[in-house]
Amino acid sequence: MKIAFVGKGGSGKTTLSSLFIRHLAANEAPVVAVDADINQHLGAALGLGEDEASGLPALGAHLPLIKEYLRGSNPRIPSAEQMIKTTPPGAGSRLLRVTEDNPVYEACARTVLLDGEPVRLMATGPFTESDLGVACYHSKVGAVELCLNHLVDGPDEYVVVDMTAGSDSFASGMFTRFDMTFLVAEPTRKGVSVYRQYKEYARDFGIALKVVGNKVQGPEDIEFLQDEAGEDLLVTVGHSDWVRAMEKGRPAAFELLEASNRLALQALQDAADDSYAHRDWDRYTEQMVRFHLKNAQSWGNAKTGVDLAEQVDPGFVLREGAAAGAVSPRPAPRPTPQPAPQPA
């Protein structure tokens, strides 16, 4: 599943996404973790030292390599220079898979061991001195969007993206790339304001959205979040001594995380897994094409000097089990799992 963590700055979005990644790794699930936040803290939250975290390769710095690899032998894309962040795959394109080895992972991913379990970690990269005053951060996350457009994940495989804070992710089509979006909200008016924005923006795109209440101190906080988010509220999380030790750089073994928080993380995984039954590859591909045509008309055609609408392969649907560039029949829908108990 492709899973996004979003929320207001300071809500605990990165901390919760790192805990979820640790939870998946503890369950021996294949995980690709992506730090797509303007403030690059996911590496540190996963236990990397300062030098290790700052030394992660930047996806944006390898954009030419990513484009050249993904375009493959697609005849609709004669050169990597004609690809933009929204370019969709077609016949002949190379597709990424979670567990494979490929030049993109080799250049842009690093393996992080979490209690002995490997996780692939990638990062968009921070602003450089040459970017200051002239570059938009959305140009950095373009490499993430391009990879997600070409990524095919199967059951029990997870791509977890720590998104930029607030509603900035709506400045690109990347917010439609996920099977489940977890919005981290504090029990305050400011804390739920991003939820309202996300709910409003996402309404027309069929985005599965669940709220994770964080920094909850008692029943009044839970009642407030229930009143504001209603049935979108999935779980709430309170104080954690384990997290406090982790933030000091001295985490205990993950199995010692408080039982209530382990239950909350399992509820997140259950909600993500349940959404698998509703995965719609046709809609996913249609939305990909929709945003590509919008970007092409807005700026892409002028930048590349070509009509980028010609990159769209009308017969191609990105779906699980397809060979690179192949069109496969739509799989039969899976039975809807029974909902798991949801801890408060």
Side-chain angles (χ1 to χ4, degrees):
M1 309 302 296
K2 300 183 184 75
I3 299 163
F5 278 81
V6 300
K8 182 181 71 67
S11 64
K13 170 180 61 66
T14 298
T15 297
L16 279 169
S17 62
S18 71
L19 289 176
F20 185 62
I21 292 165
R22 289 177 184 270
H23 167 79
L24 294 174
N27 289 341
E28 300 184 353
V31 182
V32 173
V34 183
D35 190 345
D37 195 352
I38 188 171
N39 299 305
Q40 304 272 283
H41 296 314
L42 183 59
L46 292 175
L48 296 184
E50 184 176 340
D51 291 341
E52 290 178 300
S54 62
L56 288 171
L59 275 160
H62 292 87
L63 194 53
L65 178 151
I66 294 171
K67 290 179 177 180
E68 187 61 44
Y69 178 76
L70 294 179
R71 80 181 183 93
S73 60
N74 187 336
R76 296 174 179 273
I77 308 174
S79 70
E81 289 74 18
Q82 293 182 12
M83 294 180 74
I84 62 174
K85 64 178 184 176
T86 55
T87 294
S93 296
R94 291 192 180 99
L95 305 180
L96 302 175
R97 289 175 174 80
V98 172
T99 59
E100 71 176 359
D101 294 320
N102 59 55
V104 175
Y105 290 154
E106 183 179 350
C108 304
R110 294 294 178 266
T111 298
V112 178
L113 292 179
L114 302 177
D115 286 349
E117 298 298 333
V119 167
R120 273 183 169 138
L121 174 62
M122 299 195 292
T124 57
F127 276 119
T128 63
E129 185 175 347
S130 61
D131 293 325
L132 298 178
V134 297
C136 169
Y137 190 69
H138 300 113
S139 64
K140 300 289 185 184
V141 299
V144 179
E145 186 170 0
L146 190 61
C147 286
L148 291 177
N149 281 355
H150 290 74
L151 192 145
V152 179
D153 54 307
D156 303 318
E157 296 177 342
Y158 299 87
V159 179
V160 181
V161 182
D162 182 21
M163 299 282 280
T164 191
S167 55
D168 282 357
S169 57
F170 285 98
S172 74
M174 195 162 69
F175 72 97
T176 65
R177 303 297 86 198
F178 302 101
D179 300 290
M180 176 60 69
T181 296
F182 292 126
L183 190 144
V184 181
E186 301 168 84
T188 64
R189 293 175 63 184
K190 288 184 179 180
V192 299
S193 63
V194 174
Y195 160 69
R196 294 197 190 97
Q197 286 181 310
Y198 231 98
K199 184 78 171 179
E200 179 68 23
Y201 293 156
R203 181 174 289 116
D204 295 332
F205 295 93
I207 294 173
L209 177 68
K210 291 295 181 181
V211 174
V212 182
N214 194 29
K215 304 181 183 179
V216 170
Q217 297 182 7
E220 291 185 359
D221 287 346
I222 296 175
E223 182 180 357
F224 174 81
L225 289 169
Q226 288 173 335
D227 289 343
E228 295 293 331
E231 63 183 13
D232 286 339
L233 180 64
L234 179 62
V235 291
T236 60
V237 180
H239 172 78
S240 169
D241 290 334
W242 192 97
V243 169
R244 179 59 61 89
M246 179 268 289
E247 291 176 338
K248 293 177 179 178
R250 299 193 294 268
F254 186 69
E255 63 184 14
L256 299 178
L257 180 71
E258 298 85 357
S260 59
N261 290 328
R262 293 202 307 272
L263 286 173
L265 294 172
Q266 185 59 53
L268 298 188
Q269 184 178 359
D270 291 342
D273 290 346
D274 288 351
S275 70
Y276 185 90
H278 307 290
R279 171 175 278 193
D280 188 340
W281 286 105
D282 294 279
R283 186 187 69 182
Y284 185 91
T285 304
E286 183 276 330
Q287 289 177 342
M288 188 191 311
V289 170
R290 173 179 175 181
F291 280 100
H292 177 62
L293 295 177
K294 187 174 182 179
N295 278 268
Q297 186 175 29
S298 176
W299 60 271
N301 291 345
K303 180 177 180 179
T304 61
V306 297
D307 181 6
L308 296 176
E310 295 181 358
Q311 293 180 346
V312 176
D313 184 343
F316 182 89
V317 176
L318 182 71
R319 65 170 83 255
E320 180 188 336
V327 180
S328 62
R330 186 170 180 170
R334 297 183 176 221
T336 303
Q338 293 299 312
Q342 299 176 0

